[in-house]
């Protein structure tokens, strides 16, 4: 059989049409059909070097799962991914593939890389659909009970990974979540239109069926301390993955006006509390007609696209650097463009102006230009003196990064943290300064990605397993 | 020994009407009951569509494993909460949150409660009394029908005063008027106050702070900011204190009243005024007031 000429471009992923989707919260990308999936899988040349595997933070055997997809064995492909990644339906949607596996794809040297993320997503969704809901999915075999108990603090991607790994090894695992719903940033942070909450719930339900215990509405550091978990509550080890949970606000006049939100608050009101249905759900949200979101990351992108869906006629993204430096995922930037988001690159807020009722009425911006590279290697923005101007807005969302939440640090004095309050943990094991306590995800690294948090969780799970197996047998 | 944490039932096991639209509910939550301290709060959610409502814990009974909340029905969510019958359950109850009150031992403290703020002052009076501090309690309301917890606070206070705006009970006037008299007589007697703790509506806390400022008496207030998560994650509850941004949920809820920007707090509390009125109107139309509820 003659070899087909190689298709140079990725198969595009079918999406909701931009005009209609910017008025609803349904998922934007609809996913590949089986035919497109096979055609995309067929683009992979199965090169010997497999750079994609090294490009993946959890080292999924990408060529192998793509081979299975090419042959139409979608369920087999899903199982292959799940050997390394417990949350493929999530990662296929939210991973920055263009910086990871797809960035190093051999095809990418000449053409567009293989759509690895889109294939991962298809395989995971296919498997879930075949499983006919949560009850049908076959459960992997668990190791015999070890009698060891592990507490995971927080229920985001790092903890879910640790819980999934350790429960299969026969340990008893409890996941504590401060909010009323498990999933962490996947639930409160990432909007429905990018990651449907039913998918997160499916993963949580799957872990619960494996035997993981979820305790929501429990705030470790307040309801119970780390020392109590390890002491009277009888846990052998604790994994802390509480995320980057303390929003930063710019130190500019007007930051406390009504109508200035942190992205965390704005997104939590919309995603977790379903404020977009108010008054059906009781939590209100400021519905701006003219909105400015400050920042250039995924959180900023999620916020500005949420504002559009909540009825903003002008939804602006204000970023102090240029488009090239934006850390947001490429596909989200493209989607935002299609949805009519106004991009104001190289601008920075200098003050927020309020009306007599203390509500936002305008924002003053100053133009920026790029100077020398800074510590992050990106060219640092410098304000152009005298270039200030004001833009009328009625809602401002700050998506300028987050610090470490202080609750656990404050009640665990022997847990060593760095000067920003992030927990110091061994990058290979997640071990902290405190015996039996491991940590991973954004509380260690500062704001990063879902997949990096999962990678840290995978390493910690291995180390925790080793640690509890080597503990002396308990007496009594 | 079984060391597992049993999820609390969050069952409503007691309900007492204290005044018009003011209800005390006792909720089963053993771990919160046993570890909460004066000044701390919980976040409550009534049902799947409910808001997360922050409420200061008014009292607890560690033996029965219950916490008590005193709820004034002002909006839809608080009305829903205070109409819950005994035997029903809260969907979520999180806590104890916030920093506990700094309780002065064997000192002299004036505790001032205005309106529903009296419910927040009560556990502090109780803690100070247990710490053998001389407590001057001043409780105020618009009229005598709105006074709450008089019989609970009176036996714990070494001196006890009531004020009403209309003079229908106790002294006619504001709590701050009574406080000024108490400060002056304490100074005249050579037993000055170590601290004033004032909790109530923003204008009342501001008035108390203005009254104590010339005397240089440390004055603690408890802020009732709008919150979502209650763990420092959203910053919705932020307030300016001494020119610094503070998160009420994790840095507070109690702060030095002389440093709080009350103007800003007042404006921020009104962020959702129209939304709240709309939600309440729709709720009242579908839930006409029950004439037998009091």
């Amino acid at each position: 059989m003659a070899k087909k000429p190689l298709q140079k471009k990725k198969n595009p992923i079918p999406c909701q049409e931009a005009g209609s989707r910017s008025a609803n919260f349904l998922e934007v990308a609809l996913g590949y059909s089986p035919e497109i999936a096979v055609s995309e899988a067929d683009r992979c040349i199965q090169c010997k070097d497999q750079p994609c595997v090294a490009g993946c933070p959890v080292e999924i055997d990408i060529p192998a799962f793509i081979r299975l997809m090419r042959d139409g064995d979608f369920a087999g492909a899903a199982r292959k991914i799940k050997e390394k990644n417990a949350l493929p339906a999530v990662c296929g949607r939210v991973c920055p593939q263009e910086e990871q596996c797809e960035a190093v794809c051999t095809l990418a040297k000449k053409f567009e890389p293989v759509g690895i993320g889109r294939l991962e997503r298809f395989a995971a969704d296919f498997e879930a659909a075949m499983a006919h809901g949560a009850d049908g999915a076959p459960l992997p075999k668990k190791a015999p009970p070890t009698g060891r108990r592990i507490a995971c603090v927080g229920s985001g991607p790092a903890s879910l990974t640790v819980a999934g790994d350790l429960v299969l090894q026969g340990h008893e695992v409890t996941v504590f979540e401060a909010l009323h719903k498990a999933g962490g940033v996947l639930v409160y942070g990432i909007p429905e239109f990018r990651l449907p909450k039913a998918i997160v719930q499916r993963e949580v339900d799957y872990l619960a069926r494996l035997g993981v215990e979820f305790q929501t509405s429990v705030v470790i550091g307040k309801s119970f301390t780390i020392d109590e978990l390890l002491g009277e509550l009888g846990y052998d080890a604790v994994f802390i993955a509480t995320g980057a949970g303390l929003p930063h606000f710019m130190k500019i006049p007007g930051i406390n006006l009504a109508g200035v939100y942190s992205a965390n608050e704005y997104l939590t009101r919309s995603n977790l509390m379903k404020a977009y249905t108010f008054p059906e759900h009781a939590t209100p949200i400021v519905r701006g007609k003219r909105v400015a979101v400050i920042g250039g990351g995924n959180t900023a992108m999620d916020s500005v696209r949420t504002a559009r869906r909540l009825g903003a006629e002008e939804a602006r993204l204000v970023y102090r650097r240029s488009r090239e430096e934006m850390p947001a995922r490429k596909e989200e930037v493209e989607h935002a463009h299609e949805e009519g988001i106004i991009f104001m690159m190289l601008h920075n807020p200098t003050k927020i102006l309020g009306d007599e009722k203390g509500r936002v009425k305008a924002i003053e911006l100053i133009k920026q230009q790029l100077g020398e590279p800074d510590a992050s290697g990106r060219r640092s923005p410098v304000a152009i003196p005298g270039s200030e101007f004001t833009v009328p807005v009625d809602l401002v969302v700050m998506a300028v990064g987050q610090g470490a939440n202080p609750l656990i640090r404050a009640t665990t004095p022997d847990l060593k943290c760095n000067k920003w309050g992030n927990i110091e943990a061994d990058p290979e094991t997640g071990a902290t300064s405190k015996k039996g306590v491991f940590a991973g995800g954004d509380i260690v690294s500062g704001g990063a990605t879902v997949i990096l948090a999962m990678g840290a969780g995978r390493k910690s799970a291995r180390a925790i397993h080793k640690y509890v197996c080597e503990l002396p047998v308990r007496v009594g | 020994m079984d060391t597992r944490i049993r999820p609390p039932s969050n069952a409503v096991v007691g309900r007492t009407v204290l005044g018009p639209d003011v209800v005390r509910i006792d909720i089963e939550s053993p771990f919160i009951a046993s570890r909460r301290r004066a000044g701390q709060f919980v976040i409550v959610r009534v049902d799947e569509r409910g808001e997360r409502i922050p409420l200061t814990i008014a009292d607890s009974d560690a033996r029965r494993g219950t916490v008590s909340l005193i709820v004034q029905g002002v909006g839809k969510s608080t009305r829903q909460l205070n109409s819950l019958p005994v035997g029903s359950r809260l969907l979520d109850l999180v806590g104890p949150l916030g920093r506990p009150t700094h309780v002065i031992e064997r000192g002299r403290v004036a505790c001032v409660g205005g309106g529903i703020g009296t419910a927040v002052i009560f556990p502090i009076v109780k803690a100070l009394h247990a710490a053998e501090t001389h407590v001057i309690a001043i409780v105020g309301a618009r009229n005598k029908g709105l006074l709450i917890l008089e019989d609970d606070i009176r036996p714990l206070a070494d001196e006890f005063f009531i004020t009403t705006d209309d003079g229908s009970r106790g002294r006619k006037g504001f709590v701050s008027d009574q406080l000024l008299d108490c400060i002056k007589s304490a100074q005249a007697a050579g037993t000055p106050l170590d601290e004033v703790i004032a909790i109530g509506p923003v204008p009342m806390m501001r008035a108390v702070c203005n009254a104590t400022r010339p005397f240089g008496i440390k004055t603690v207030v408890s802020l009732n900011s709008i919150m979502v998560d209650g763990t420092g994650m959203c910053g919705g509850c932020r307030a300016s204190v001494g020119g610094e941004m503070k998160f009420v949920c994790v840095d507070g809820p109690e702060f030095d009243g002389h440093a709080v920007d009350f103007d800003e707090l007042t404006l921020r509390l009104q962020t959702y005024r129209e939304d709240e009125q709309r939600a309440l109107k729709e709720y009242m139309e579908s839930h006409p007031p029950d004439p037998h509820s009091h």
Side-chain angles (χ1 to χ4, degrees):
Chain A
M1 194 174 81
K3 187 103 181 94
K4 275 183 305 184
L6 185 76
Q7 182 186 321
K8 293 176 181 169
K9 292 206 164 198
K10 264 191 221 181
N11 283 288
I13 191 163
C15 287
Q16 267 200 78
E17 195 263 316
S20 57
R21 77 179 187 234
S22 55
N24 71 49
F25 277 83
L26 302 176
E27 192 174 16
V28 168
L30 302 170
Y32 280 162
S33 64
E35 294 74 27
I36 305 178
V38 170
S39 148
E40 186 63 29
D42 206 25
R43 291 184 65 231
C44 175
I45 58 170
Q46 295 287 327
C47 60
K48 241 183 6 228
D49 299 353
Q50 308 193 339
C52 51
V53 179
C56 172
V58 296
E59 295 174 6
I60 295 171
D61 189 345
I62 293 166
F65 98 75
I66 291 183
R67 208 157 46 232
L68 289 162
M69 293 196 76
R70 193 189 59 195
D71 299 339
D73 183 2
F74 302 135
R79 281 194 299 275
K80 178 55 74 182
I81 299 168
K82 279 193 163 174
E83 287 174 8
K84 292 291 171 81
N85 180 347
L87 307 171
V90 173
C91 291
R93 287 171 167 83
V94 305
C95 260
Q97 290 95 2
E98 73 268 17
E99 297 169 15
Q100 300 174 352
C101 51
E102 296 183 18
V104 293
C105 173
T106 301
L107 274 196
K109 287 177 189 156
K110 282 192 171 173
F111 313 117
E112 281 191 5
V114 176
I116 300 169
R118 294 169 183 180
L119 290 174
E120 180 185 31
R121 167 193 164 133
F122 177 82
D125 288 356
F126 180 88
E127 190 204 30
M130 286 303 100
H132 301 298
D135 295 342
L139 292 179
K141 227 174 133 69
K142 279 164 66 171
T146 61
R148 295 297 177 189
R149 299 177 64 215
I150 291 106
C152 294
V153 183
S155 65
S159 265
L160 295 182
T161 303
V162 169
D165 285 3
L166 291 178
V167 79
L168 285 178
Q169 282 164 317
H171 307 300
E172 253 184 70
V173 183
T174 308
V175 174
F176 293 100
E177 167 55 47
L179 293 169
H180 54 263
K181 216 166 183 57
V185 70
L186 307 176
V187 167
Y188 75 75
I190 302 178
E192 180 77 18
F193 57 81
R194 197 150 78 84
L195 178 63
K197 297 310 137 210
I199 288 172
V200 183
Q201 194 57 49
R202 189 169 82 202
E203 304 297 349
V204 170
D205 289 345
Y206 171 77
L207 291 176
R209 284 175 56 226
L210 277 177
V212 174
E213 179 194 29
F214 285 90
Q215 291 227 8
T216 52
S217 293
V218 177
V219 184
I220 301 301
K222 282 287 172 190
S223 306
F224 302 100
T225 63
I226 299 292
D227 285 316
E228 285 169 319
L229 292 175
L230 289 170
E232 60 214 67
L233 294 168
Y235 288 96
D236 298 294
V238 175
F239 178 68
I240 304 175
T242 47
L246 195 78
H248 287 161
F249 288 93
M250 293 179 80
K251 288 189 169 57
I252 54 173
I255 194 73
N256 290 345
L257 289 165
V260 181
Y261 282 125
S262 71
N264 269 2
E265 178 175 7
Y266 189 57
L267 293 173
T268 300
R269 283 180 181 272
S270 181
N271 301 335
L272 177 73
M273 305 310 296
K274 305 272 177 265
Y276 62 85
T277 70
F278 180 87
E280 193 186 316
H281 283 73
T283 303
I285 193 165
V286 175
R287 286 177 177 253
K289 284 282 165 220
R290 296 194 273 203
V291 182
V293 173
I294 319 303
N298 286 315
T299 310
M301 213 59 68
D302 286 344
S303 299
V304 77
R305 295 172 70 201
T306 294
R308 187 85 169 126
R309 284 162 173 76
L310 283 170
E313 287 151 16
E314 290 176 20
R316 298 167 189 277
L317 189 89
V318 178
Y319 182 50
R320 63 199 179 113
R321 303 179 196 249
S322 71
R323 175 108 178 232
E324 287 65 51
E325 287 84 20
M326 273 177 71
R329 202 169 169 259
K330 193 164 149 255
E331 190 170 87
E332 311 310 329
V333 177
E334 285 163 9
H335 283 161
H337 257 287
E338 292 164 12
E339 290 164 14
I341 304 301
I342 304 163
F343 281 65
M344 295 185 80
M345 301 293 100
L346 290 166
H347 285 84
N348 205 28
T350 42
K351 67 170 93 150
I352 305 168
L353 307 154
D355 63 15
E356 69 289 345
K357 286 178 171 169
R359 296 189 183 212
V360 171
K361 66 169 187 188
I363 187 164
E364 185 186 271
L365 304 175
I366 189 164
K367 291 182 180 169
Q368 309 267 111
Q369 58 191 3
L370 289 179
E372 295 301 307
D374 65 9
S376 72
R378 297 179 296 181
R379 292 178 66 191
S380 60
V382 186
I384 302 170
S387 66
E388 295 92 340
F389 62 102
T390 59
V391 178
V393 290
D394 49 12
L395 173 63
V396 174
V397 179
M398 287 283 155
V400 294
Q402 311 169 47
N405 190 285
L407 290 183
I408 287 182
R409 185 170 82 226
T411 50
T412 320
D414 49 347
L415 188 66
K416 213 169 151 197
C417 296
N418 67 17
K419 62 177 169 178
W420 299 284
N422 294 105
I423 298 173
E424 289 190 2
D426 184 316
E428 289 311 309
T429 63
T432 68
S433 61
K434 191 172 168 68
K435 191 170 175 295
V437 178
F438 298 76
D442 283 1
I443 188 63
V444 172
S445 60
T449 61
V450 168
I451 189 72
L452 288 173
M454 292 177 59
R458 168 65 36 87
K459 288 177 178 173
S460 284
R462 228 175 273 151
I464 292 168
H465 174 66
K466 184 164 181 288
Y467 171 80
V468 296
C469 289
E470 287 170 1
L471 282 176
V473 178
R474 256 174 306 182
V475 185
Chain B
M1 185 183 74
D2 183 12
T3 54
R4 279 164 185 74
I5 302 162
R6 264 180 292 277
S9 73
N10 299 344
V12 177
V13 294
R15 182 180 185 276
T16 320
V17 176
L18 301 185
D21 291 327
V22 179
V23 173
R24 170 188 164 127
I25 52 175
D26 306 323
I27 305 152
E28 200 166 72
S29 180
F31 74 76
I32 299 179
S34 65
R35 63 189 307 135
R36 73 95 199 177
R37 285 155 66 194
Q40 289 189 295
F41 66 95
V42 288
I43 283 189
V44 165
R45 207 163 64 112
V46 175
D47 59 31
E48 200 45 61
R49 291 178 175 184
E51 284 182 274
R52 295 171 63 92
I53 316 163
L55 290 164
T56 305
I57 302 166
D59 205 355
S60 66
D61 183 335
R63 204 178 39 80
R64 279 175 74 212
T66 58
V67 293
S68 303
L69 306 175
I70 294 177
V71 186
Q72 183 174 36
V74 284
K76 172 189 168 180
S77 297
T78 45
R79 278 171 194 265
Q80 262 182 311
L81 188 56
N82 78 5
S83 64
L84 288 178
V86 170
S88 58
R89 290 163 63 141
L90 296 176
L91 187 59
D92 301 300
L93 180 71
V94 197
L97 300 170
R99 297 184 183 201
T101 307
H102 172 68
V103 177
I104 292 179
E105 289 178 31
R106 294 189 190 86
R108 301 183 74 83
V109 175
C111 294
V112 188
I116 193 71
T118 305
V120 185
I121 271 292
F122 168 57
I124 299 174
V125 169
K126 205 169 168 180
L128 288 166
H129 176 75
E132 295 174 37
T133 279
H134 181 95
V135 177
I136 301 171
I138 305 170
V139 171
R142 287 207 310 279
N143 60 56
K144 68 173 180 186
L146 298 172
L147 283 167
I148 56 169
L149 297 175
E150 182 186 340
D151 295 338
D152 299 271
I153 293 178
R154 188 190 292 273
L156 303 172
D158 299 277
E159 300 173 51
F160 184 76
F161 303 93
I162 287 174
T163 70
T164 50
D165 297 6
D166 65 355
S168 54
R169 189 76 207 287
R171 173 177 176 161
K172 182 176 184 326
F174 299 125
V175 284
S176 46
D177 304 332
Q178 180 61 52
L179 177 65
L180 264 183
D181 287 355
C182 292
I183 291 171
K184 285 174 188 158
S185 53
Q187 287 195 329
T191 53
L193 297 176
D194 297 311
E195 190 172 272
V196 171
I197 304 176
I199 301 169
V202 173
M204 168 261 174
M205 292 195 287
R206 187 205 302 262
V208 168
C209 291
N210 288 341
T212 57
R213 191 174 280 115
F215 296 93
I217 303 172
K218 186 182 173 198
T219 304
V220 174
V221 296
S222 180
L223 305 187
N224 58 335
S225 308
I226 295 168
M227 284 182 195
V228 184
D229 62 289
T231 63
M233 193 195 78
C234 86
C237 64
R238 65 192 186 276
S240 294
V241 181
E244 273 182 53
M245 185 188 288
K246 295 286 182 190
F247 288 1
V248 172
C249 64
V250 290
D251 299 322
E254 293 174 10
F255 294 99
D256 173 1
H258 292 146
V260 169
D261 184 339
F262 286 112
D263 289 336
E264 182 185 280
L265 178 68
T266 305
L267 293 172
R268 285 190 64 78
L269 284 170
Q270 288 169 7
T271 304
Y272 303 102
R273 171 156 276 191
E274 289 95 27
D275 291 322
E276 286 159 359
Q277 284 167 347
R278 179 179 161 207
L280 178 61
K281 188 165 167 279
E282 288 182 18
Y283 177 75
M284 295 303 276
E285 279 163 10
S286 55
H287 297 77
D290 175 3
H292 306 296
S293 69
H294 300 312

